[in-house]
Amino acid sequence: MPEAIWNEDVSPIVFKKISPRCGVEILDFDLSIELSQDLVDKIEHLLVNAGVVFFRDQHITREQHIQFGQRFGELHVHPAVPSPEGYPEILLIHADAKSKGVAGAGWHSDVSSDAEPPAASILYMKIMPEVGGDTLFSNMYAAFEALSQPMQEYLLQLKAVHAPAKIYSSLIQSEKVASRNQASTHPVIRTHPISKRKALFVNSIFTREIVGLSKKENDYLLRFLFEHINDPNFQIRFSWQPGSIAFWDNRCVQHFPTDDFFPQTRTAERVTICGDKPY
Ligand code: SIN
């Protein structure tokens, strides 16, 4: 059932929830037009509460994609993955018959190895395989809230080391990039800077170890947390079409692109919004 948020002065945003815990789709919306601050605030409100916001049937240029991202903050340039010529803020996500696999196929939040990991990412789908290539999203507020109180209290004391994915090392092109391609330590449970809600912040691609635990304790606890993130009750699965956009909040959701469409082609472009130091 579609719902709406509005005030008297501007058009409402009409959206429908994808599940009670994760994701909303904004309906009948055109991202190629200049957005009022009021609309930007409403989109941000949906983003930080639902974790991911979807739009369908969009037709935007690279410039418009960049401008939309800039309404939510400074844009992030990926420490290792090259961009299309002239567009350093755009990250190309492409897989085809020559690819060894899909980038980031595993639960993660983007570049959590950065000292100030990206706040949010906006992926614009361009080419989709005939079948396959969905992306799953899992809500990390829900993952935290489903834990028992003693477990929540224990995890609130812990920090974890996040290191760049191994594949990045082979892509390092400059000293500037190399200096950003290092590990960072973040709280296992972070507080979202806007919603103030607590969210689980470890992931299977970047998190290497929990500080102070033995190897055996790390193996058990991280395995438990990675299995917990995988609980279908926190998740949704998004089926893309060319023109679909997913705008996710890395501070409170993780995502998992499926790797089920080889040898077909799937191409998307992402802009990524800078974040702050997790606390
Ligand atoms: C990403 O991690 O940005 C890629 C997500 C996807 O390909 O669905």
Side-chain angles (χ1 to χ4, degrees):
M1 182 70 172
E3 299 176 47
I5 19 177
W6 52 354
N7 63 34
E8 315 72 68
D9 308 332
V10 290
S11 355
I13 283 197
V14 182
F15 66 94
K16 65 171 194 224
K17 285 187 179 159
I18 312 284
S19 89
R21 298 199 175 113
C22 190
V24 297
E25 182 173 335
I26 296 186
L27 307 170
D28 304 323
F29 204 86
D30 181 1
L31 287 174
S32 70
I33 55 162
E34 170 123 9
L35 299 181
S36 66
Q37 189 55 42
D38 183 73
L39 285 175
V40 169
D41 293 346
K42 286 181 173 126
I43 294 171
E44 186 176 64
H45 174 81
L46 290 172
L47 176 75
V48 306
N49 287 293
V52 53
V53 170
F54 302 103
F55 303 87
R56 292 206 182 260
D57 303 318
Q58 300 299 314
H59 302 277
I60 54 171
T61 61
R62 283 184 171 151
E63 287 75 11
Q64 288 167 329
H65 191 182
I66 290 169
Q67 279 157 15
F68 177 58
Q70 284 169 334
R71 299 300 302 272
F72 298 87
E74 192 190 332
L75 298 187
H76 174 274
V77 175
H78 198 281
V81 180
S83 306
E85 179 86 35
Y87 295 94
E89 307 90 345
I90 295 215
L91 180 73
L92 194 61
I93 308 273
H94 175 84
D96 60 22
K98 294 195 214 100
S99 308
K100 293 208 178 98
V102 167
W107 284 113
H108 67 287
S109 53
D110 290 320
V111 210
S112 68
S113 50
D114 270 9
E116 296 184 345
S121 305
I122 305 170
L123 190 68
Y124 179 32
M125 190 56 65
K126 301 239 158 149
I127 301 170
M128 270 304 281
E130 208 174 297
V131 62
D134 294 353
T135 304
L136 285 83
F137 294 87
S138 185
N139 186 300
M140 294 298 105
Y141 299 135
F144 174 72
E145 287 158 14
L147 294 166
S148 66
Q149 196 185 333
M151 182 55 98
Q152 289 180 351
E153 282 167 12
Y154 175 58
L155 295 178
L156 277 162
Q157 305 162 41
L158 301 178
K159 290 188 185 273
V161 177
H162 296 236
K166 289 189 187 73
I167 185 170
Y168 293 167
S169 326
S170 58
L171 295 169
I172 294 173
Q173 294 154 349
S174 70
E175 264 177 47
K176 186 167 159 242
V177 164
S179 70
R180 282 190 50 206
N181 204 46
Q182 287 172 3
S184 302
T185 300
H186 301 307
V188 168
I189 308 297
R190 73 179 292 180
T191 307
H192 193 291
I194 300 173
S195 72
K196 307 294 177 206
R197 290 172 70 187
K198 298 212 175 331
L200 183 58
F201 196 64
V202 289
N203 70 76
S204 60
I205 289 198
F206 293 99
T207 310
R208 299 283 178 268
E209 59 166 3
I210 295 180
V211 177
L213 301 193
S214 68
K215 169 150 182 1
K216 194 166 157 190
E217 289 164 343
N218 252 297
D219 289 348
Y220 278 107
L221 187 55
L222 283 177
R223 180 152 28 98
F224 164 71
L225 292 173
F226 295 160
E227 276 175 24
H228 183 62
I229 288 160
N230 211 12
D231 184 333
N233 290 308
F234 316 141
Q235 290 174 25
I236 53 166
R237 182 179 184 117
F238 185 64
S239 290
W240 303 85
Q241 289 154 338
S244 303
I245 288 185
F247 184 2
W248 62 86
D249 188 330
N250 287 299
R251 300 161 296 189
C252 62
V253 292
Q254 293 192 26
H255 57 285
F256 188 146
T258 54
D259 192 359
D260 61 354
F261 55 90
F262 181 84
Q264 301 172 87
T265 300
R266 180 180 184 269
T267 305
E269 295 189 356
R270 190 178 95 192
V271 303
T272 310
I273 300 155
C274 292
D276 42 21
K277 194 168 165 44
Y279 65 94

